[in-house]
Structure formats: C-alpha cells, structure tokens
Amino acid sequence: MAGKIFQEMKKFLSLRSLQARFFLIMLVAGIVPSVVMRYGILGSYEERSVQNRIANVQNQLMIVGSHLISNNYFNTKPEGYNRSVSREVIDAELEMISNLYEGRVMIINSSLKVVKDTYGISTGKTIISEEVIQCFQGENISNYDKEHGYIEMTTPIIDTSANSSVIEGVMLTSISSEAISATMTVLDRKAGILGNLMLVGTMAMAMVLSVVLTKPFNRVTEAINEVNAGYSNERISVPDYAETVHIVDAFNQLLDRMRALDTSRQEFVENVSHELKTPMAAIKVLADSLLAQQDAPAELYREFLEDIASEIDRENRIITDLLALVKMEKKAQELSIVSINVNDLVELILKRLRPLARKKDVEVVFESMRPVVAEVDEVKMSLIMTNLVENAIKYNKEHGWVRVELDADYQYFVFKVSDSGLGIPAESLAHIYERFYRVDKSHSREIGGTGLGLAITKSAVLMHRGAINVTSVEGEGSSFTVKIPLTCVAAG
Ligand code: ADP
C-alpha cells in the first residue's frame, strides 16, 4: 500500500500523471490573472494618485505665481507699480501650501537666485539645476521619487501683463508622497491577504477538480483490471467523456476479438477430439464384436481387420491434415519461395491423381493458356492444387469430368478447377473453408474426407497474398478459382 502511494506521488511530482497536469494548469490559470490584476491595479492607482497630487499642487502654485507677478515680487517693475497683495500675504500663502503638502517651495528669479525658501535655508543662494533651467525654457518637470517619498516639480511664474508672456521666475517645489505610500501600503496588504485567500481557494479547487476530472480514467483502469483479474466478463462501460468512450470501445472490441478467438479455439479442440474419437470408436466396436464371437471364422476376422485398418488410415489422414493446418497457421513460419514452372507442377499433380480419377471413372483435362513461371512455395502450392483437384474428383458423379485451367497476366496467374460433380448448396458456400466443415458428413467420411482440405488450401492461398473463389450449382458442378501473384511477397 505504502509502495503504491509512493509510486503515485512520484508520478504526480514528475508531472507524468494527468491529475498533476490538470492541477498545475488550473493553478496557473487561476493565479496568473489574479497576480496580473493585483500589480496592474495597484500600479495604476499609484500613478493616478501621484498625477492628481501634482495637478492639485500645480494649480495652487499657478495662483500664487500670478499673485507674485501682480505683487511685483521680483521688483522688475518701476517703483509705485500696483501692488494688490502685500509680500507678507504671498509668503503666508506659500507657507500654507508647504504646510498643507508637507513640502518646500523655493521661488527662483531669472538670475537663478533663490528669493524665497519656505524652509528658510537657501534664500539668497544661487541654484543651478537642470530642472529649473529647463523650466525657464518653458518645460515643466515633475519627478516622483518613490524610494525617498517625495514629488518634485517646477512651476513657471509667467508675467502675462506685457504683450508677450515672459517667465519671470520658477517655483521649485518638493512635496511629500508619504500619504500615497501609506495608502499603497494598506492597499498592498489587503491585496496580499486577498491574493493569498485566492491562492488557497484556487489550490483547493484545482485539487478537487483534478481529482474529479480524472476519475473517469481511473474508472476505466478499474474496469479493465476487473476484466483482467477475471472478476468480470462483461463488456465495460464508462460513458463520462468522449475520450473514455473511445478507449472503452477499443477495449471492448479487443475483448470481443479475444472471446471470439477463445470460442473458436474451444470449438476447434472439441472438433479435433470428436474427429479423432470417431475412428477410435469404430475400431473399438469392431474389435469388441470380434472378441464377443466365439470361434469366429477367419474370413470374418479378415473383414473386420480390413475395416480396422481403414479406420486407422482415416485417423492418420486427420492427424496429417491437422499437422499441415497447424504448420500453415504458424504466422512466423516463412514461405520458402522458389521460382517454379507452374505448368510442370500441375502436370505432376494430375499424374499423381489420375489413378484416383480412373477409379471413379472421371475424365481429367488440363488446358494451359500459356507457360507460367511464378515465385511461390512449391510444397504449399502443390497442397492447394492437390486439394482442389482431389475434391473435384472425389465429389464427382460417375463418368463425370474435371477441367483444370491455367492462365496468367503480367501480375497474377489463375488456376481454375471446374467439375461436373455434386455441387455445393448455396447455404454451405460460406462455410466450406471452415475447419471440419463438410456438406454431407456421412458421404464425405465414406470417401475419406477430413473436412480440413479447403481450410488448408485457403490458408496457403492467403499466405501467398492470393485469393480463392468458388461458384457452384447444386447437382451441376463447382468451379474453384485461385489467383496468386507471380512475384510473391509473403504475408506477415
Ligand atoms: P474434405 O476433406 O471433407 O473434402 P474439404 O475442406 O476439402 O474437406 O471440403 C469441405 C466440404 O466442401 C466437403 O466436405 C464437401 O462437402 C465440399 N466440397 C469441397 N469441394 C467440393 C467440390 N468440388 N464439389 C462439391 N463439394 C465440394
């Protein structure tokens, strides 16, 4: 159990598990937007606060600036110029601004001399600062120094009484940004708490969702394991997702195929046992009945022993055919391809089968359209031809005929066996290649059929990547056509 948990943990941490990936994706998808929002909103809030503050201060400074000019603060106008506001009032205004914004205001005249400093430190000194010079040239500057907690700005003092506006002086102001920093600290703390809560919430949600979403896959595994362990034999069903349905469908198809294979294997074993038992039972009956008879005549012994010998032959034939079939179905077995003269092979096979044909009074003719040379497995090819011609003779009528035709095009050769025999009923045509299938069991047994010949033939044809077809009319005859590629590429 501990080992299994450890394995699962390892899978989770190495991100090999779907659950871990789900978890991570959901976590990232939940956290990234909240982090971006947090810093984005706080950042723009701070920027706007600073800008507002600068605008407020600038407004007030502009008013003071106009008072300065009308009051001839810089003494640039002739004596007796209208002084609407006294110098003390202006100084008080400046003091008020610097108190209000916790800052310092310096008034600098056109010779860069400080004529007023609300701190009283720099009055009378000359200031050579880039910002001040730039302001005299008409460029307003404002700087926010977050680290030291102040905002610095320059405000021009413009005399608009003359025809053209003249910058008579500059106000260099620095105000505290502590209030903004304090608000930012509070907001940042609140956003932090909210962010952490969201992180915990997202993690919990990601955890729950990753478990819930991957559950159907676990159910598939469980169902497959149950079938594997043999607890269940049912087709499995996990209809949650299209993906699990596909996996399950594929698995069920595999299961069906395995069951079909298993059933066919069982049937085959049953058939084999039955076929092998039949001659044995006959032998047993024959032997028992001989033993039961006291002083049985020698002729009877002879007759029964002949029957026993023929049953043994039959048993032998079944075993030989079975071995041929098993060999044929071993996929790994290679074809031993050689280039052969097919006409010669057909002639040889017909020569071997002619005695059987004579015995049944069946005429065998061979019609070859052209000489055919093909790359095939000679032993398997003679099995194919022998089985088809032998069947055509065996299932024929008296005085019947068998016609063997051989033709070829540039790709295939065609071997066709037609007969004037019993024919095959339409409903049996689909079954004749099955192992142990016989149209008329007793007749087939009589003439020594095992029901394996056509199964072997079809296997051998398929191994050559060929095709076999049959047409038949019951009572009139049958025609088997085999088409084999001239150059054989063995089937896998
Ligand atoms: P068997 O060893 O019994 O001949 P096969 O597999 O060769 O087995 O053939 C299966 C069955 O198909 C046969 O039992 C027979 O009934 C039928 N059959 C095969 N070839 C012919 C044919 N040329 N004419 C009529 N029936 C045939």
Side-chain angles (χ1 to χ4, degrees):
M1 186 67 188
K4 207 175 158 205
I5 292 172
F6 179 70
Q7 285 277 324
E8 289 297 318
M9 285 294 286
K10 216 169 125 188
K11 253 199 280 173
F12 193 87
L13 292 177
S14 66
L15 287 186
R16 271 184 51 230
S17 91
L18 189 61
Q19 220 170 55
R21 287 181 197 192
F22 264 146
F23 176 73
L24 202 77
I25 290 168
M26 281 184 277
L27 201 63
V28 171
I31 287 173
V32 168
S34 80
V35 170
V36 170
M37 259 164 64
R38 177 178 165 187
Y39 289 102
I41 289 174
L42 287 186
S44 59
Y45 176 81
E46 187 174 19
E47 205 181 299
R48 263 198 75 72
S49 304
V50 169
Q51 273 170 3
N52 275 343
R53 208 162 175 80
I54 291 173
N56 279 343
V57 175
Q58 287 280 28
N59 270 343
Q60 304 214 19
L61 288 175
M62 294 294 256
I63 295 167
V64 176
S66 70
H67 288 169
L68 285 175
I69 293 295
S70 56
N71 195 36
N72 195 14
Y73 199 84
F74 297 108
N75 276 330
T76 52
K77 299 281 178 341
E79 205 53 39
Y81 184 79
N82 175 32
R83 292 184 172 202
S84 55
V85 189
S86 74
R87 195 181 179 96
E88 287 73 41
V89 174
I90 292 172
D91 285 346
E93 273 179 29
L94 288 171
E95 288 297 336
M96 195 192 76
I97 291 174
S98 68
N99 283 338
L100 190 64
Y101 294 104
E102 295 170 66
R104 176 185 188 185
V105 184
M106 283 191 276
I107 313 280
I108 299 150
N109 68 12
S110 52
S111 354
L112 302 179
K113 207 173 211 161
V114 179
V115 289
K116 170 73 185 167
D117 176 1
T118 54
Y119 275 18
I121 306 169
S122 302
T123 316
K125 288 185 183 161
T126 304
I127 278 203
I128 303 173
S129 117
E130 205 182 320
E131 286 89 357
V132 174
I133 294 166
Q134 275 178 341
C135 190
F136 272 113
Q137 286 164 357
E139 213 177 307
N140 272 10
I141 306 285
S142 57
N143 286 323
Y144 172 41
D145 188 335
K146 191 174 177 175
E147 203 181 318
H148 297 103
Y150 70 87
I151 304 167
E152 192 180 56
M153 68 195 94
T154 53
T155 320
I157 305 165
I158 304 168
D159 183 359
T160 47
S161 59
N163 280 345
S164 60
S165 308
V166 181
I167 302 175
E168 296 279 357
V170 165
M171 282 186 255
L172 180 62
T173 316
S174 59
I175 53 167
S176 162
S177 62
E178 281 301 320
I180 296 174
S181 304
T183 316
M184 287 311 293
T185 312
V186 173
L187 284 181
D188 203 47
R189 199 181 315 125
K190 282 190 177 162
I193 295 170
L194 214 68
N196 285 339
L197 282 176
M198 270 175 74
L199 177 71
V200 173
T202 313
M203 269 176 87
M205 213 164 81
M207 191 86 93
V208 171
L209 277 179
S210 68
V211 170
V212 171
L213 289 178
T214 53
K215 237 185 184 141
F217 291 97
N218 295 340
R219 274 207 291 278
V220 173
T221 317
E222 274 166 27
I224 292 177
N225 281 342
E226 269 185 22
V227 175
N228 249 353
Y231 299 135
S232 157
N233 217 7
E234 301 281 297
R235 295 179 110 238
I236 58 175
S237 154
V238 182
D240 301 63
Y241 299 140
E243 286 79 3
T244 54
V245 171
H246 288 159
I247 296 173
V248 163
D249 278 351
F251 179 76
N252 281 335
Q253 275 169 23
L254 184 73
L255 207 66
D256 289 346
R257 238 187 84 195
M258 276 167 57
R259 281 197 198 121
L261 272 176
D262 203 40
T263 316
S264 110
R265 191 184 54 83
Q266 267 175 13
E267 270 173 16
F268 182 58
V269 172
E270 275 168 21
N271 285 341
V272 168
S273 326
H274 178 74
E275 295 296 328
L276 291 178
K277 267 176 78 178
T278 318
M280 294 293 239
I283 293 169
K284 172 88 172 128
V285 170
L286 288 166
D288 280 351
S289 55
L290 264 188
L291 287 173
Q293 288 185 39
Q294 299 266 323
D295 306 322
E299 298 82 58
L300 197 70
Y301 266 103
R302 188 169 186 81
E303 195 192 322
F304 275 39
L305 280 175
E306 270 170 7
D307 287 349
I308 288 175
S310 94
E311 288 300 333
I312 291 172
D313 282 346
R314 190 175 147 64
E315 185 96 23
N316 240 338
R317 263 199 311 276
I318 296 174
I319 292 170
T320 315
D321 277 0
L322 269 175
L323 286 178
L325 192 67
V326 170
K327 258 192 196 167
M328 203 74 73
E329 287 187 351
K330 257 195 206 161
K331 277 271 156 56
Q333 193 196 329
E334 296 275 307
L335 288 173
S336 52
I337 303 290
V338 281
S339 184
I340 59 157
N341 183 320
V342 184
N343 299 63
D344 287 353
L345 183 66
V346 179
E347 297 275 13
L348 182 73
I349 285 160
L350 294 187
K351 195 173 155 202
R352 275 196 217 136
L353 291 173
R354 277 218 163 85
L356 179 71
R358 262 199 299 276
K359 216 161 107 189
K360 299 268 289 176
D361 194 17
V362 169
E363 187 196 6
V364 180
V365 286
F366 176 37
E367 282 174 24
S368 169
M369 307 301 163
R370 65 197 78 240
V372 179
V373 175
E375 289 174 20
V376 288
D377 183 313
E378 193 172 358
V379 177
K380 295 196 173 71
M381 195 46 61
S382 28
L383 260 177
I384 296 171
M385 293 172 172
T386 310
N387 278 339
L388 292 181
V389 179
E390 201 180 322
N391 277 354
I393 298 170
K394 277 193 314 191
Y395 301 104
N396 219 315
K397 295 170 190 158
E398 227 167 292
H399 314 302
W401 52 261
V402 172
R403 189 168 63 245
V404 179
E405 289 162 80
L406 181 65
D407 197 2
D409 58 16
Y410 65 101
Q411 242 184 328
Y412 297 95
F413 73 87
V414 178
F415 174 76
K416 188 170 173 186
V417 183
S418 318
D419 64 60
S420 61
L422 310 171
I424 303 163
E427 66 274 13
S428 297
L429 279 177
H431 302 288
I432 52 173
Y433 302 109
E434 287 169 14
R435 293 170 298 199
F436 297 116
Y437 183 82
R438 277 156 290 189
V439 175
D440 179 348
K441 259 199 171 188
S442 57
H443 177 67
S444 172
R445 270 175 56 82
E446 243 170 59
I447 54 182
T450 58
L452 292 171
L454 284 180
I456 295 171
T457 305
K458 184 157 188 181
S459 257
V461 169
L462 293 183
M463 281 181 89
H464 283 86
R465 289 194 185 271
I468 182 166
N469 282 306
V470 59
T471 53
S472 183
V473 179
E474 207 179 348
E476 281 181 25
S478 318
S479 179
F480 283 85
T481 311
V482 173
K483 201 172 163 188
I484 305 274
L486 289 170
T487 357
C488 184
V489 186

